[in-house]
Amino acid sequence: MSKSLRRVQSALEAAGLAVEIRETDDSARTAEGAAAAVGCAVDQIAKSIIFRGEETGHVVLFLTAGGNRVDPAKATTVAGQSLGKADADLIRTETGFAIGGVAPVGHLRQVEAWLDPRLLDFDTVWAAAGTPRHVFAIAPEELIRITGAKQADFTA
């Protein structure tokens, strides 16, 4: 088991959740591929979209439904600071994950997070578990609880 996967599993257990992490094939790198791999709607995939906060220099996380896109202007307003592209090194340094497998939990440092209200339309959503091949199912309310994400309108 990779360090990233182990960190996600530990974070879920520490939050009191008995969640099964499922291994998929490489198609899970996209929301469409992940949805097909687990047999759910695309919007049930909780994508982890990372930006760099221009004032803080730290990453910020937007958890969005798989079929939605983050609107940069709305996200900037929600974050209260200008947002820029987070490069792979910054993402890895602050979250501990590689692009394509960024989980909503188990980050190396505290990450400010927002959640797309569309995810609340489902009983279960699926999120990356620290690698591009691993995902886990969770109730969206539990996702909010364990990430501290705030609901906000930031999608296009």
Side-chain angles (χ1 to χ4, degrees), residues 115 119-125 138-145:
L115 182 121
L119 293 169
L120 296 171
D121 291 343
F122 303 99
D123 293 332
T124 302
V125 296
I138 188 169
E141 295 81 7
E142 288 293 331
L143 187 59
I144 291 170
R145 180 181 69 82

Side-chain angles (χ1 to χ4, degrees), residues 24-42 45 66 132 135:
T24 66
D25 59 23
D26 284 334
S27 67
R29 290 179 179 269
T30 68
E32 293 80 7
V38 299
C40 72
V42 171
I45 302 300
V135 294

Side-chain angles (χ1 to χ4, degrees), residues 6-155:
R6 192 172 311 116
R7 206 169 54 252
V8 171
Q9 186 172 37
S10 294
L12 292 168
E13 289 170 358
L17 297 173
V19 173
E20 176 188 348
I21 294 176
R22 186 183 298 182
E23 185 171 6
T24 66
D25 59 23
D26 284 334
S27 67
R29 290 179 179 269
T30 68
E32 293 80 7
V38 299
C40 72
V42 171
D43 276 355
Q44 284 181 267
I45 302 300
K47 298 187 298 190
S48 294
I49 307 298
I50 301 278
F51 288 93
R52 178 183 186 277
E54 295 298 335
E55 279 77 41
T56 65
H58 294 294
V59 299
V60 293
L61 171 63
F62 291 87
L63 296 166
T64 186
N68 286 346
R69 294 205 174 272
V70 175
D71 178 299
K74 288 181 178 180
T76 292
T77 299
V78 167
Q81 64 177 315
S82 296
L83 299 175
K85 183 178 178 177
D87 65 30
D89 287 339
L90 180 64
I91 293 170
R92 168 107 38 207
T93 298
E94 296 209 356
T95 69
F97 304 117
I99 293 172
V102 176
V105 298
H107 302 141
L108 296 178
R109 66 172 297 279
Q110 184 67 34
V111 174
E112 197 167 13
W114 290 271
L115 182 121
D116 178 355
R118 173 71 173 120
L119 293 169
L120 296 171
D121 291 343
F122 303 99
D123 293 332
T124 302
V125 296
W126 292 82
T131 81
R133 297 177 61 99
H134 293 87
V135 294
F136 66 94
I138 188 169
E141 295 81 7
E142 288 293 331
L143 187 59
I144 291 170
R145 180 181 69 82
I146 67 174
T147 62
K150 301 170 210 93
Q151 293 179 57
D153 176 17
F154 56 80
T155 60

